[in-house]
Amino acid sequence: MKKLTRVNHPPRIDLPPDNHPVVAPIYETVKFEFDSLDETTRFLQGGRPGFFYSRASNPTTRQLELTLAELQGRDDCFVTASGIGAVAQALIALTKQGDHVLCFVETYNPTRYLVRRLLARFGVTYTMLSIEDTAGIERVLAAQPTKLVIFESPTNPVTKIADIPKLTQLARARGVLTVLDNTFAGFHQHGEFDIDVFVHSLTKYASGTGDVMGGAVIARTEIIRGMRADFGALGGTLDPHAAFLIQRGLKTYFLRYSAQCASAMRIAELLASHPAVARVHFPGLPSHPQHALARAQMKEFGTIVTFDLKGGLEAGARFVEALELFALAASLGSTESLVVAPQMMKGRDLTPEQQKQSAVGDGTVRLSIGLEDIED
Ligand SMILES: Cc1ncc(COP(=O)(O)O)c(C=O)c1O
C-alpha cells in the first residue's frame, strides 16, 4: 500500500472480545460496513442488528438514547441536534393535514411558533389556552377531535405547574396524545404519569456545562418506531461527538440538579423577603399558588427562580446590569448562573390579554441558578 493510500486506510485496531473500554469511545464515523454484501442487504432489510449510516443510528448516540429512555422511564428515544429540533421533529412526525393541536400561552416561544406558524402552513389547526384553564381544556377536547396536546411543567419563565394527572386523564379519555416538554423538570421527574411523548432540550441540565446542544424525544417503543422514518428523513440527528459530551455530563446530572435546586430554594426565600420584590415564582415556596400540586407531582422543584420587581422595566434593567456573577444570557440549567431581563421575555406574538395570562410582567426577572457557592 502506498503512503497516500495508507493515510486514507489507517490500520484497524479491533479490541479483543474480552477487553472493553471503561468509557465508551466516540464513534465519530458516518459509515459502518459489514463483511459482505449479503450481510449488508440482510441489515438493510431489517434481518440483523448493526449500524450503517450515522444519520439513522450510531453506537455513541444510541448509548445516549438508551440512557435517557431509562432515566425518563420509557423504552426508546431519538436524539436530535437541539431541543427545539426534538420538538419540531416530534410535531411533524405526529401530525398531518387536518389535525388539531392544543397548545398554551405559557408554551416555550419557539414551540408556539412551530404550532402556530409552521404546522399551520401544512393545514394543522390549533387552539391556544392558558395551562391553568382546566375547564377550557376539557371543553376544547370534548368539542373537537384533537391529535395532541403539547405542554410544559413548570412553564417558562413563571413556573406555572400543569395538572398532569388531570391533563393526561382528559387526553387519554379522548384518544389525544400528550407531549410534555420536560426540560425544566428533568429526566428523573414525571415519568410515572401517563405521558405519551417526552421532549427535552439536552442543551440544559443533561450536559450542564453549556457547551453543547442537543435534544431528545422519549416514548414507548411503538411511538418512536412510528416516528423513526420521519426523523431519518428530516435529518436533524445529533452528532456523535455532541452525544459523547452529553453522556459525560449526565454522570453528574443528579448531583448537579439537586445542588442547584437547593440553592434555588434559598435564593427564592431570600427574594421573597426582599422589600423591592412584589412576588416570587418558585414552585418550592409555600406561597406559590400551585405549591401543593408541585409537591404532589415533583420530587424536586427545579433551578429556575423568577420574580417580579416592584419597579418594573427600569428596575429590571438596573437589576440585571448590576449582577456580577450572573451572565445576561439565554438558556438555563448550566453550572453557571444566568439571568434574563423583563425586556427579553415579552411574548410578542401574544395579544395583550394573552400576555396578561402568561404572567410575564414589566418587572419579571428570570434566574437560572448554577453551582456557585450560595454565599457568593
Ligand atoms: C422548555 C424549553 N424547551 C425547548 C428549548 C429549546 O432547546 P434548545 O435551545 O436546545 O433548542 C428550550 C430552550 O430554552 C426550553 O426552555
Side-chain angles (χ1 to χ4, degrees):
M1 203 185 284
K2 299 279 189 282
K3 289 181 180 171
L4 176 59
T5 307
R6 174 48 84 201
V7 291
N8 287 288
H9 296 264
R12 221 170 77 177
I13 312 294
D14 286 329
L15 290 181
D18 63 345
N19 182 202
H20 316 285
V22 175
V23 174
I26 312 173
Y27 285 88
E28 194 67 76
T29 175
V30 172
K31 299 147 288 181
F32 297 83
E33 64 172 348
F34 296 94
D35 283 344
S36 67
L37 176 59
D38 272 357
E39 287 307 303
T40 309
T41 49
R42 211 153 73 77
F43 170 82
L44 293 175
Q45 288 160 6
R48 61 157 293 166
F51 296 91
F52 189 65
Y53 195 56
S54 286
R55 193 178 68 227
S57 195
N58 168 289
T60 312
T61 54
R62 192 63 188 145
Q63 183 188 48
L64 178 61
E65 288 172 350
L66 294 178
T67 309
L68 294 173
E70 190 168 337
L71 292 186
Q72 190 61 86
R74 295 297 183 273
D75 313 315
D76 208 353
C77 170
F78 189 87
V79 286
T80 58
S82 68
I84 200 64
V87 179
Q89 295 194 66
L91 287 173
I92 291 169
L94 291 171
T95 58
K96 61 176 187 328
Q97 186 179 26
D99 282 342
H100 173 251
V101 166
L102 178 58
C103 68
F104 299 97
V105 166
E106 297 87 352
T107 300
Y108 177 56
N109 215 327
T111 302
R112 285 205 307 269
Y113 172 86
L114 286 170
V115 173
R116 305 178 72 201
R117 303 277 174 259
L118 189 133
L119 289 188
R121 294 212 300 268
F122 299 97
V124 176
T125 60
Y126 72 90
T127 302
M128 189 165 75
L129 299 172
S130 168
I131 193 70
E132 295 173 289
D133 184 6
T134 307
I137 296 170
E138 197 160 0
R139 205 172 339 102
V140 167
L141 296 187
Q144 192 165 0
T146 297
K147 179 68 192 191
L148 63 87
V149 48
I150 181 157
F151 69 106
E152 290 148 41
S153 186
T155 63
N156 182 9
V158 296
T159 71
K160 292 187 192 177
I161 304 295
D163 187 339
I164 301 179
K166 182 78 189 163
L167 197 58
T168 50
Q169 179 228 320
L170 290 173
R172 186 64 68 210
R174 304 269 174 198
V176 179
L177 286 172
T178 43
V179 181
L180 171 57
D181 181 337
N182 210 22
T183 300
F184 270 45
F187 311 96
H188 61 305
Q189 308 215 64
H190 298 153
E192 70 276 29
F193 294 106
D194 187 18
I195 301 288
D196 293 303
V197 179
F198 289 95
V199 287
H200 282 271
S201 167
L202 306 179
T203 313
K204 313 295 189 298
Y205 297 105
S207 90
T209 40
D211 54 8
V212 60
M213 300 199 80
V217 183
I218 306 173
R220 298 190 291 282
T221 307
E222 72 268 21
I223 295 183
I224 295 288
R225 197 184 298 130
M227 297 167 136
R228 221 169 247 288
D230 286 359
F231 287 158
L234 288 164
T237 193
L238 188 67
D239 180 79
H241 189 254
F244 170 83
L245 290 174
I246 294 166
Q247 183 77 55
R248 183 166 71 167
L250 276 177
K251 291 182 180 189
T252 55
Y253 164 75
F254 286 98
L255 303 180
R256 282 187 280 108
Y257 196 97
S258 289
Q260 290 173 237
C261 281
S263 293
M265 184 72 198
R266 285 195 47 200
I267 288 169
E269 285 166 348
L270 178 91
L271 288 166
S273 65
H274 198 284
V277 172
R279 182 176 166 191
V280 180
H281 308 266
F282 183 69
L285 287 181
S287 59
H288 188 287
Q290 295 160 302
H291 176 64
L293 182 60
R295 282 195 85 85
Q297 56 187 50
M298 300 181 81
K299 302 172 188 83
E300 297 180 284
F301 300 112
T303 73
I304 299 297
V305 180
T306 299
F307 61 100
D308 300 328
L309 280 168
K310 287 178 186 162
L313 278 178
E314 201 239 329
R318 259 190 301 129
F319 178 84
V320 302
E321 292 196 325
L323 288 175
E324 288 174 15
L325 282 178
F326 289 63
L328 179 59
S331 204
L332 58 114
S334 41
T335 58
E336 72 279 358
S337 291
L338 307 169
V339 63
V340 180
Q343 287 81 351
M344 298 156 73
M345 282 187 291
K346 274 264 179 280
R348 291 181 221 292
D349 60 316
L350 302 178
T351 64
E353 173 64 21
Q354 288 167 335
Q355 284 187 354
K356 214 160 137 235
Q357 278 178 335
S358 79
V360 178
D362 281 347
T364 304
V365 173
R366 189 190 82 174
L367 303 177
S368 169
I369 304 303
L371 259 189
E372 298 92 344
D373 189 305
I374 186 73
E375 297 307 323
D376 288 332

